Every structure is written in C-alpha cells, then in structure tokens.
C-alpha cells in the first residue's frame, strides 16, 4: 500500500476534505490496493448514514427529442439516425402505475430538452402523479429551464431535479458543448433549483473527451463546495453517431475510485451506481455500490421505446436493467450484502 495515499484517505475520511492537489495525488497514485482501501472507508461512511439499504428509482425516459447538440450525446439534435419518440401523459402515468406496483417510490422523468414539455403539460402530469401516489417522490431531469419554470414545477409537486454540470471547467465545457450552452447558465440553473427548495443533483462523466486528472480533482473540489443532495457520475461511453465516436470510454476503476472519494467528501449524498457503469462492465453497478454508491435507477420506460434512448453505444435497457426485473436486481444486491428497500429514499442531510 502506498503510505502517502493511505494517509490522505484516512484524513479524507476524518475531515471530509482535502486540497485539490491532494485529490490529484489520489487520482494519479491509487492502484488496486489503495482503491480498495478508499472503498472500504466509503462503505463504512455510507453505512453510518444509510445502513446497507439500496434506494431504487424508476427511470422513465419521456422523450429522446432534444433541441441541444451536446457533442457527446447520442440523442443530440443533429443525429439524423436517432429514431425519435415522445411519451404521452397516459404512457407516463401507466409507467408510474406499473412502477408503484413493483415497489418504486421515486419516479425519475428524464428526457431531452423537448419543447413539447411545456410548464402546462408538466404541471398537469405532476398533479396526476402526485394525486395518485402522494407517497412517492418525483425527480425531474429535463435540462435547463427558466427559474420561473422550475418554480412552477416545484409548486406542482416536483421534489428533486437532476442536472449534471458535466464539468466545472469552463473551457472544457466549451469543448463538450456548442456555444449556445454555457457552464455559467448550468450553474445558475443549479443555484435556482436549490433556492427553490428542490433536492438537487449535479454530476459529470468520467473520462469525457479532453478531461484531465486535474479537472477530475477539480470536480471533487466542486462537489465538496456545492454539496449536492445527489451526484450522478458515470463513465463517458462513445456513441457511433457523434464526433466523439473514436474517443475511448471512461474507466470503471476510476469511476469507482471517484465514487468512494465523493462518499467521503459528502457522506450523506445520494449516489447512484449509474446505467453507464453497468453498461461498460458486467457487474459494474455492484462495483459502484461496493465503492460507496447507494442508489440504482432501473429502467421503467415502456419496452417499445427503451432501445431508442441511446445516449451511448450498447446502453443497457433490458434484462436486470429493467424495472420489471426488480427481483433479479434484489438478488444481485443481496449477493453483495445489500438490501433493496421500498422507500422514497430521501437524502439524510440533517443527521
Ligand atoms: N436533457 C437532460 C440534461 O441535459 O440534463 C437529461 C438528459 S441527458 C441525455 C442525461 C445525461 O446523460 C447527461 O447529463 C450526460 O452526462 C449523460 N450522457 C450523455 N451522453 C453520454 C455518453 N456518451 N456517455 C455517458 N453519459 C452520457
């Protein structure tokens, strides 16, 4: 074991904080043994707050129509090969009905920035979900909207909002997005959401094109400062119809190391073992849980559209990834010593 990394890991577990240069040391000098040491510390921290419970979210991918053209994303506006779809209100409510019966108590509605989803549409939809299922949390992940829009959706019953910041380095942001999208506006959206009382999630891809180790150290520093309620990180995976098709995918090992660091930096954060982690490696989600994650988000979208929400090549959507295979997921979690629970699964920020 690298003694210096052990000292940094112990200090991180105790103080929940390191300097950026020290995060960089961990990122650059952790091998299997050091990663496992950090994962053990992260598991202990997670268990202090959440025991061995795993929270599940039913992910409903409501549309793959998007006005944006993020260079990494398979559903970007300029991808002519993407077979577009949009769910109706009835489709979405039917997903919730099915999810509720399966034991889901959080529904995540995610989609491209599709102009069809006006505030009026979403307010009615949220009203429908909340009146049927008042014991459930609703998470939205529909990209950048105005503060007024976020306020209306909050009032209509939305509890949480996921908006990955993607990178906290403005120049890197510019290499991943067209000029119409700016880091400044993303961060404004995140601040607005927080001020409006949402539980807020940010996050980033690991191994995205042009990302450096220094930038990843910066992401850890950003998480420590922003302290999101949720943090979605997963490996970048190239999509064949984007300009980034020839870039390498991010690493599962590095993603797990960063999950462990994030758990230690912000012990009560809700941290998903993402689909991208499971898509890149068999058992990737279990590895995420063992690195300190405590949330999984199986796919609850109608089977007919599931393969169309292709953010990256070979994205998992069937099998153990589907909400219908909850029993298989429960078994996978049980096999590593964790328990899927029926619960809204809010962040335990005040304990
Ligand atoms: N439109 C909403 C937004 O921008 O937040 C939600 C949908 S967006 C497709 C969800 C997330 O997918 C993005 O925040 C991004 O990090 C991730 N994603 C997109 N393309 C990806 C890729 N090629 N590899 C890994 N993750 C990707």
């Amino acid at each position: 074991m690298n003694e210096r990394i052990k000292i940094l890991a112990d200090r991180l577990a105790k103080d929940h904080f390191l300097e950026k240069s020290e995060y960089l040391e961990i990122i650059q000098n952790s091998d299997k043994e050091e990663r496992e040491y950090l994962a053990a510390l992260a598991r202990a921290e997670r268990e202090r707050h959440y025991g061995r419970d795993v929270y599940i979210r039913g992910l409903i991918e409501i549309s793959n129509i998007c006005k944006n053209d993020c260079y990494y994303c398979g559903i970007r506006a300029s991808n002519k090969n993407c077979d577009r779809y949009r769910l109706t209100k009835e489709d979405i409510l039917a997903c919730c009905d099915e999810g509720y019966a399966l034991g889901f108590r959080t529904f995540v509605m995610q989609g491209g920035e599709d102009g069809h989803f006006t505030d009026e549409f979403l307010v009615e939809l949220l009203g429908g979900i909340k009146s049927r299922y008042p014991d459930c949390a609703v998470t939205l992940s529909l990209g950048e909207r105005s503060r007024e829009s976020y306020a209306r959706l909050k009032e209509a019953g939305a509890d949480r909002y996921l908006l990955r910041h993607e990178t906290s380095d403005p120049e890197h942001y510019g290499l991943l997005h067209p000029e119409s999208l700016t880091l400044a506006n993303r961060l404004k959206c995140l601040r607005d959401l927080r001020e409006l009382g949402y539980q807020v999630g940010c996050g980033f891809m690991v191994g995205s094109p042009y990302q450096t180790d220094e930038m990843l150290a910066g992401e850890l520093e950003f998480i420590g400062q922003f302290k999101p309620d949720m943090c979605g990180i997963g490996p970048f995976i190239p999509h064949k119809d984007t300009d980034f098709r020839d870039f390498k995918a991010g690493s599962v090992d590095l993603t797990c190391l960063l999950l462990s660091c994030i758990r230690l930096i912000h012990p009560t954060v809700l941290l998903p073992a993402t689909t991208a982690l499971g898509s890149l490696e068999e058992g990737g989600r279990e590895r995420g849980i063992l690195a300190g994650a405590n949330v999984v988000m199986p796919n609850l979208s109608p089977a007919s559209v599931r393969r169309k929400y292709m953010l990256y090549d070979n994205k998992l959507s069937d099998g153990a990834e589907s909400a219908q295979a909850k029993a298989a997921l429960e078994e996978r979690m049980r096999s590593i010593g964790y328990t899927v629970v029926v619960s809204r699964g809010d962040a335990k920020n005040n304990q």
Side-chain angles (χ1 to χ4, degrees):
M1 165 97 75
N2 178 325
E3 270 312 304
R4 169 73 181 157
I5 299 300
K6 182 173 181 302
I7 289 168
L8 291 178
D10 288 338
R11 182 141 56 79
L12 180 57
K14 183 166 138 292
D15 298 342
H16 312 297
F17 169 83
L18 291 177
E19 298 296 335
K20 183 174 169 186
S21 59
E22 296 172 324
Y23 291 133
L24 183 61
E25 282 186 65
I26 290 184
I27 289 165
Q28 293 190 322
N29 301 320
S30 293
D31 224 324
K32 193 165 190 292
E33 210 180 342
E34 293 76 21
R35 285 198 305 267
E36 187 39 55
Y37 187 71
L38 274 146
L41 292 173
R43 285 197 296 276
E45 192 63 57
R46 162 208 203 289
E47 282 173 33
R48 232 188 304 288
H49 301 279
Y50 295 103
R52 289 186 159 229
D53 290 352
V54 174
Y55 296 146
I56 49 170
R57 320 299 195 194
L59 179 62
I60 309 171
E61 295 160 337
I62 65 175
S63 170
N64 68 358
I65 298 170
C66 191
K67 72 174 165 59
N68 291 332
D69 213 25
C70 307
Y71 301 150
Y72 45 84
C73 186
I75 65 168
R76 58 190 300 225
S78 65
N79 182 7
K80 300 283 177 288
N81 296 328
C82 178
D83 185 3
R84 305 284 170 177
Y85 75 90
R86 170 189 293 142
L87 299 186
T88 64
K89 221 168 284 172
E90 292 69 34
D91 292 333
I92 298 168
L93 286 169
C95 291
C96 296
D97 290 343
E98 189 177 5
Y100 193 86
L102 285 165
F104 289 87
R105 296 295 178 268
T106 289
F107 302 117
V108 180
M109 289 188 277
Q110 187 180 91
E113 291 195 22
D114 178 349
H116 175 78
F117 296 117
T118 59
D119 292 349
E120 291 69 32
F121 179 100
L122 292 170
V123 164
E124 205 185 307
L125 176 64
L126 285 161
I129 298 175
K130 282 288 178 163
S131 62
R132 278 189 211 202
Y133 302 117
D135 54 334
C136 288
V138 177
T139 305
L140 298 178
S141 179
L142 300 172
E144 298 181 5
R145 303 176 75 93
S146 68
R147 185 182 171 104
E148 292 68 37
S149 171
Y150 289 146
R152 284 189 67 185
L153 303 181
K154 181 80 186 54
E155 224 163 89
D159 301 278
R160 309 185 186 129
Y161 206 102
L162 294 176
L163 184 70
R164 289 187 177 182
H165 62 289
E166 312 295 359
T167 168
S168 56
D169 179 304
E171 274 175 40
H172 187 216
Y173 199 91
L175 294 170
L176 300 179
H177 301 97
E179 260 174 45
S180 53
L181 296 170
T182 63
L183 178 60
N185 196 52
R186 276 260 139 167
L187 297 180
K188 177 188 179 302
C189 288
L190 286 169
R191 275 194 306 273
D192 284 344
L193 289 161
R194 169 163 283 171
E195 284 167 17
L196 290 164
Y198 283 89
Q199 292 176 43
V200 180
C202 62
F204 57 91
M205 292 177 287
V206 178
S208 60
Y210 312 112
Q211 186 181 61
T212 62
D213 291 344
E214 285 76 10
M215 287 175 191
L216 282 173
E219 297 313 336
L220 293 180
E221 196 173 44
F222 176 86
I223 298 298
Q225 288 160 358
F226 185 68
K227 295 246 165 30
D229 302 284
M230 308 167 280
C231 182
I233 73 162
F236 160 76
I237 304 177
H239 186 289
K240 61 180 174 33
D241 296 319
T242 64
D243 290 347
F244 290 162
R245 66 180 70 83
D246 294 327
F247 279 86
K248 265 195 359 229
S251 128
V252 172
D253 284 347
L254 181 55
T255 305
C256 288
L257 174 71
L258 294 167
L259 285 170
S260 300
C261 291
I262 292 171
R263 170 65 61 205
L264 294 171
I265 291 168
H266 184 17
T268 56
V269 71
L270 294 166
L271 199 55
T274 54
T275 307
L277 203 52
S279 296
L280 209 51
E281 186 177 294
E282 169 61 29
R285 288 216 296 208
E286 288 87 326
R287 286 191 58 192
I289 295 291
L290 289 170
N294 65 331
V295 174
V296 283
M297 298 168 64
N299 197 314
L300 196 50
S301 311
S304 57
V305 303
R306 245 175 235 173
R307 284 163 196 231
K308 297 184 183 173
Y309 199 78
M310 270 302 153
L311 305 181
Y312 42 82
D313 293 336
N314 306 316
K315 176 171 165 277
L316 284 186
S317 60
D318 302 325
E321 189 61 30
S322 73
Q324 289 72 12
K326 183 165 160 266
L329 176 68
E330 282 167 352
E331 186 41 45
R332 278 171 175 243
M333 292 300 139
R334 214 177 359 253
S335 74
I336 56 167
Y338 289 80
T339 311
V340 170
V341 293
V342 176
S343 156
R344 270 174 58 113
D346 288 300
K348 299 192 176 179
N349 284 339
N350 302 318
Q351 296 182 3

